[in-house]
């Protein structure tokens, strides 16, 4: 099998590449990644001799067609995206270019050259949010698309395009919509890695609003396993929700991390809320469980310990990141929220 993995130098894509190299040593894996601020070639270093890496933009039609011409891939798994909600609020444009136009270019290439499967890695954020006072409500695959941020709007647009290409051109597409991931190689602008890194540096932990917003956390390897199952056993044309019924408020997460690192809660600093902040995400994963037998394997209590340990053991991976361009980003985004 020849599989193109876009965005494979990012958090989930990188974990997926590691997973696939180990599970399918005879497959040819080609990673296409633009190496934006979020892409890190070091994430792929341990497997570099087992994959082909191409630095390129999924929205660059010429480059994508060249890749298809040369490699004639059997499958595409599209992780490439601008993925951070806060950045999308600051500057939506690149989200539309990569997440929507880039997806279109990839699917045009699939139409032109043929493909066994195009898989779109999407997010539960396309469903909008749920209220805190109705804990029995969950997102199913039938929940209407109802987006809040430019990020989620761009991901939802891509999903609709993928479904349109499936129906109109008969492309064998699948879509997965996963809840929040955590684990190794997570860029320290997202909640869990940011809090770990700040706590390790004895810096304030910026909690947006009252900290009561709820996310449904899944260990990244469980997400990788679900995508693998969908690729090999999922039905073309289908959408699969992925999540492990592990809802936690942001403040709970922050306190767990402080406890694991033996740092004081006085580091917690409440800052101005995110604009349009989604209240609660919660996935109903019944479909993928019933049809493909998927269940999450890593309990949050274990996954968070492994994750914290990974950041302790891999300081050089994240220290390089936070000493570069990211410093300016951090000052810009958090400087006017409060004095951090
Ligand atoms: P990430 O930001 O860590 O990584 C994105 C990767 O895509 C980076 O390597 C970046 O260099 C690359 N990229 C960006 N623009 C590109 C372009 N134009 N061409 C080629 N490569 C490009 O993101 P992530 O957290 O790993 O998320 C991966 C996918 O999973 C995204 O599509 C995201 O929407 C989705 N998702 C993420 C989560 C989560 O909790 N992180 C949850 C559900 C779904
Ligand atoms: P994030 O990791 O950005 O993921 P998403 O917005 O895609 O769910 O944020 C997770 C939650 O944590 C979200 O409710 C916003 C909140 N948050 C903070 O309170 N402080 C922070 O510094 C960040 C980055 C996020």
């Amino acid at each position: 099998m020849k599989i193109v993995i876009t965005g494979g130098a990012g958090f989930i894509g990188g974990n997926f590449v590691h997973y696939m190299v180990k599970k399918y040593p005879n497959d040819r894996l080609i990673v296409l990644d633009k190496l934006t601020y979020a892409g890190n070639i070091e994430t792929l270093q341990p497997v570099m001799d087992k994959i082909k890496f191409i630095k390129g933009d999924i929205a660059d039609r010429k480059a994508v067609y060249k890749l298809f011409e040369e490699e004639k891939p059997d499958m595409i798994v599209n992780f490439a995206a601008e993925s951070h909600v806060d950045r999308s609020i600051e500057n939506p444009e690149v989200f539309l270019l990569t997440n929507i136009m880039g997806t279109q270019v990839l699917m045009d290439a699939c139409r032109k050259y043929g493909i066994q499967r195009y898989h779109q890695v999407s997010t539960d954020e396309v469903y909008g949010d749920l209220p805190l006072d109705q804990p029995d409500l969950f997102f199913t695959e039938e929940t209407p698309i109802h987006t809040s941020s430019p990020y989620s709007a761009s991901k939802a647009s891509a999903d609709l395009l993928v479904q349109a290409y499936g129906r109109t051109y008969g492309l064998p597409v699948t879509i997965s919509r996963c809840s929040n991931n955590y684990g190794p190689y997570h860029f320290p602008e997202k909640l869990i890695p940011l809090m770990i890194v700040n706590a390790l540096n004895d810096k304030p932990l910026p909690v947006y609003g009252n900290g009561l917003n709820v996310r449904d956390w899944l260990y990244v390897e469980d997400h990788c396993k679900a995508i693998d199952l969908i690729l090999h056993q999922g039905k073309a044309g289908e959408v699969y929700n992925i999540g492990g019924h592990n809802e936690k408020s942001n403040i709970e997460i922050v306190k767990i991390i402080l406890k694991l690192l033996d740092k004081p809660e006085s580091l917690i600093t409440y800052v101005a809320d995110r604009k349009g902040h989604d209240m609660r995400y919660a996935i109903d994963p019944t479909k993928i469980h019933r049809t493909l037998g998927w269940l999450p394997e890593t309990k949050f209590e274990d996954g968070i310990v492994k994750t914290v340990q990974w950041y302790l053991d891999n300081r050089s991976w994240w220290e390089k990141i936070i000493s570069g361009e990211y410093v300016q980003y951090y000052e810009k985004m958090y400087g006017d929220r409060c004095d951090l």
Side-chain angles (χ1 to χ4, degrees):
M1 216 36 110
K2 273 192 194 175
I3 308 180
V4 169
I5 300 170
T6 68
F11 164 46
I12 308 175
N15 277 281
F16 186 72
V17 173
H18 284 263
Y19 172 86
M20 293 293 279
V21 161
K22 211 166 155 194
K23 179 147 184 210
Y24 302 103
N26 297 324
D27 280 2
R28 179 166 168 77
L29 304 179
I30 303 129
V31 173
L32 173 66
D33 196 297
K34 189 178 175 184
L35 295 181
T36 65
Y37 78 93
N40 191 340
I41 197 76
E42 275 194 36
T43 298
L44 295 176
Q45 221 53 61
V47 292
M48 218 38 161
D49 56 336
K50 301 195 175 71
I51 62 167
K52 177 169 176 182
F53 179 82
I54 301 171
K55 182 175 183 300
D57 188 336
I58 58 164
D60 179 344
R61 193 172 289 273
K62 236 170 109 182
V64 169
Y65 284 11
K66 183 165 173 270
L67 165 62
F68 272 69
E69 191 103 43
E70 285 172 8
E71 293 288 348
K72 310 226 166 9
D74 302 301
M75 291 181 175
I76 306 293
V77 189
N78 182 25
F79 290 94
E82 289 293 334
S83 69
H84 192 37
V85 173
D86 292 326
R87 288 184 190 251
S88 84
I89 294 167
E90 282 298 297
N91 179 17
E93 194 174 2
V94 66
F95 285 73
L96 275 57
L97 290 174
T98 288
N99 300 3
I100 307 174
M101 304 302 284
T103 298
Q104 188 215 354
V105 168
L106 290 174
M107 285 189 308
D108 279 343
C110 293
R111 274 182 71 200
K112 188 170 157 73
Y113 296 95
I115 199 82
Q116 283 180 34
R117 176 61 61 84
Y118 173 91
H119 182 73
Q120 179 72 2
V121 180
S122 186
T123 163
D124 60 357
E125 298 192 30
V126 301
Y127 299 122
D129 65 350
L130 295 164
L132 286 184
D133 59 1
Q134 283 173 275
D136 52 336
L137 277 187
F138 298 95
F139 298 135
T140 72
E141 290 79 0
E142 314 310 325
T143 302
I145 301 281
H146 186 83
T147 58
S148 310
S149 69
Y151 163 67
S152 56
S154 69
K155 293 295 290 183
S157 308
D159 283 13
L160 295 176
L161 260 184
V162 170
Q163 285 174 318
Y165 271 59
R167 168 135 179 182
T168 307
Y169 306 115
L171 266 194
V173 298
T174 41
I175 297 174
S176 53
R177 295 182 179 144
C178 191
S179 58
N180 286 60
N181 286 213
Y182 69 100
Y185 301 112
H186 203 177
F187 194 86
E189 67 181 353
K190 305 281 171 68
L191 181 74
I192 289 185
L194 177 68
M195 297 301 157
I196 296 173
V197 163
N198 277 15
L200 283 172
N201 287 333
D202 297 307
K203 280 179 64 179
L205 308 194
V207 173
Y208 297 169
N210 58 13
L212 296 180
N213 303 64
V214 166
R215 297 294 182 263
D216 183 359
W217 294 96
L218 184 73
Y219 192 62
V220 62
E221 198 182 20
D222 280 322
H223 187 187
C224 296
K225 287 179 181 163
I227 293 174
D228 175 21
L229 268 179
I230 295 168
L231 271 185
H232 293 96
Q233 293 171 42
K235 199 166 143 219
E238 296 290 317
V239 173
Y240 297 90
N241 280 357
I242 308 173
H245 281 305
N246 179 53
E247 291 178 51
K248 298 240 178 300
S249 69
N250 296 337
I251 193 68
E252 278 178 89
I253 294 279
V254 170
K255 287 185 178 170
I256 290 169
I257 290 170
L258 285 171
K259 201 157 180 223
L260 284 172
L261 289 171
D262 199 20
K263 297 283 182 178
E265 288 191 5
S266 57
L267 285 175
I268 295 173
T269 308
Y270 289 93
V271 300
D273 208 351
R274 173 184 281 173
K275 292 186 184 111
H277 199 171
D278 279 338
M279 211 55 231
R280 168 177 169 247
Y281 301 145
I283 280 276
D284 176 353
T286 306
K287 177 175 174 179
I288 190 166
H289 175 54
R290 286 233 181 98
T291 57
L292 303 180
W294 178 87
L295 275 179
E297 288 166 28
T298 301
K299 284 201 217 92
F300 186 76
E301 299 73 55
D302 302 330
I304 193 69
V305 170
K306 279 203 271 187
T307 303
V308 166
Q309 193 58 46
W310 188 87
Y311 281 83
L312 284 167
D313 295 342
N314 292 274
R315 274 181 174 269
S316 69
W317 183 88
W318 56 265
E319 276 175 347
K320 274 185 219 148
I321 293 171
I322 62 167
S323 63
E325 175 264 352
Y326 181 61
V327 177
Q328 282 132 43
Y329 162 82
Y330 195 82
E331 273 159 20
K332 182 169 171 236
M333 298 301 275
Y334 291 87
D336 59 1
R337 282 184 194 264
C338 83
D339 199 15
L340 288 179

